[in-house]
Amino acid sequence: MRLLTPLVLFLLIPTMASAHFGAIIPSDDMVGPEDARTLTLEVKFIHPMEGHTMEMARPKRFGVLHNGRKKDLDDTLVSSKRSEEERTVWISEFKLRRPGDYTFFVEPVPYWEPAEDLFIVHYGKVCVNALGLEQGWDEPVGLETEIVPLTRPYGLWTGNLFSGQVLLKGKPLPFAEIEIEYLNGSSADGQPIPTPDGPLVSQVIKADSNGVFHYAMPKSGWWGFSALSEADWTIHRNGVDKHVEIGAVYWVHTIDIP
Ligand SMILES: [Cu+2]
């Protein structure tokens, strides 16, 4: 039995309940004409359901797509130690000047994960609707891999179905596997739910032959969707070429019907 242990551990790794998620969490997903127009965005690398934060280096790229134009926001990022674990997260203040949808996106630097013997790069996205004009949310950013929403990704009730399409190099990724996690503690009352066991931590669904998936969100708060692929490039580490897991991550917010 003893000899089997390393093999068993190896087999367990791909189905580990605890999933990594790159995240961009804005202070709101909808900003009306009467609201304060400064958004605060938190860029971080987390295990959303279990409430853990990984250390995050300054992202390689952070920007926003609005009205068909991409704007670089690297300069706005300020490091912070907000999490209980004293890990670095990145904060950006952004002023919404014009109406329309703002899709924020991040490309982190590769994160070395010794437990999986690979690097992780999660391309994160989130959309914020501004000042009453609902336009732009369905545009791709043009990242190496990304989720493009088919459901308008803001103003969602709890229980709504969220649909999206997974793209890899701009093309639909057939039968992509998508992990879904709830950002625990992000409900309207701010009360975390007790961390569930095993398969309840991450939900897992598969896209259809066009890379399209659907999921109904059962609680108010932020929900992360992550579709993982293996990059066709590797990173040299201590003389060995290591695999790179690339993730297309998208975040949406739901509120309860009053
Ligand atoms: Cu981790």
Side-chain angles (χ1 to χ4, degrees):
M1 278 314 281
R2 234 188 177 164
L3 283 172
L4 278 176
T5 308
L7 176 65
V8 168
L9 279 175
F10 175 76
L11 290 172
L12 281 174
I13 286 169
T15 52
M16 258 189 332
S18 126
H20 298 86
F21 278 70
I24 307 177
I25 307 295
S27 44
D28 210 335
D29 65 327
M30 295 174 286
V31 175
E34 313 299 318
D35 299 329
R37 298 189 182 186
T38 301
L39 269 185
T40 303
L41 300 119
E42 212 169 287
V43 180
K44 51 193 177 178
F45 192 42
I46 56 176
H47 295 232
M49 180 63 101
E50 296 155 306
H52 298 307
T53 306
M54 266 78 64
E55 184 66 19
M56 188 178 188
R58 174 174 275 277
K60 189 170 169 187
R61 187 177 175 211
F62 175 63
V64 65
L65 173 68
H66 175 254
N67 203 14
R69 278 193 297 272
K70 274 177 254 184
K71 191 173 183 227
D72 199 33
L73 300 176
D74 289 337
D75 295 349
T76 67
L77 288 171
V78 176
S79 72
S80 171
K81 302 264 188 192
R82 283 210 180 165
S83 72
E84 280 171 21
E85 298 141 306
E86 286 290 298
R87 301 270 164 79
T88 306
V89 303
W90 297 87
I91 310 292
S92 169
E93 303 267 321
F94 183 82
K95 194 147 165 73
L96 298 158
R97 295 180 197 278
R98 296 179 198 285
D101 296 328
Y102 288 79
T103 297
F104 295 89
F105 57 91
V106 65
E107 178 186 350
V109 297
Y111 176 90
W112 172 245
E113 176 55 76
E116 297 176 54
D117 195 37
L118 49 68
F119 284 92
I120 300 174
V121 176
H122 280 188
Y123 297 89
K125 283 168 52 179
V126 70
C127 181
V128 176
N129 173 247
L131 315 175
L133 176 66
E134 299 178 10
Q135 195 178 294
W137 56 265
D138 52 355
E139 283 179 46
V141 169
L143 302 169
E144 181 178 16
T145 185
E146 66 183 305
I147 289 173
V148 177
L150 297 173
T151 302
R152 191 193 59 184
Y154 47 81
L156 296 167
W157 298 120
T158 306
N160 270 23
L161 195 65
F162 178 70
S163 301
Q165 186 176 38
V166 182
L167 302 184
L168 178 63
K169 295 187 173 179
K171 293 200 191 76
L173 183 61
F175 309 112
E177 190 169 287
I178 298 108
E179 294 177 338
I180 301 150
E181 274 196 34
Y182 177 59
L183 181 60
N184 206 351
S186 66
S187 59
D189 63 12
Q191 291 304 309
I193 60 164
T195 305
D197 287 330
L200 286 170
V201 174
S202 303
Q203 300 295 310
V204 178
I205 57 176
K206 289 194 79 166
D208 67 11
S209 57
N210 294 313
V212 172
F213 67 88
H214 315 275
Y215 180 74
M217 298 150 292
K219 188 170 172 67
S220 74
W222 285 97
W223 288 86
F225 295 79
S226 169
L228 305 177
S229 307
E230 191 183 321
D232 59 7
W233 44 283
T234 55
I235 297 175
H236 219 55
R237 184 176 191 272
N238 300 338
V240 184
D241 283 329
K242 296 294 184 183
H243 293 292
V244 182
E245 172 196 288
I246 49 173
V249 187
Y250 202 94
W251 286 88
V252 296
H253 187 251
T254 60
I255 56 174
D256 292 338
I257 293 181

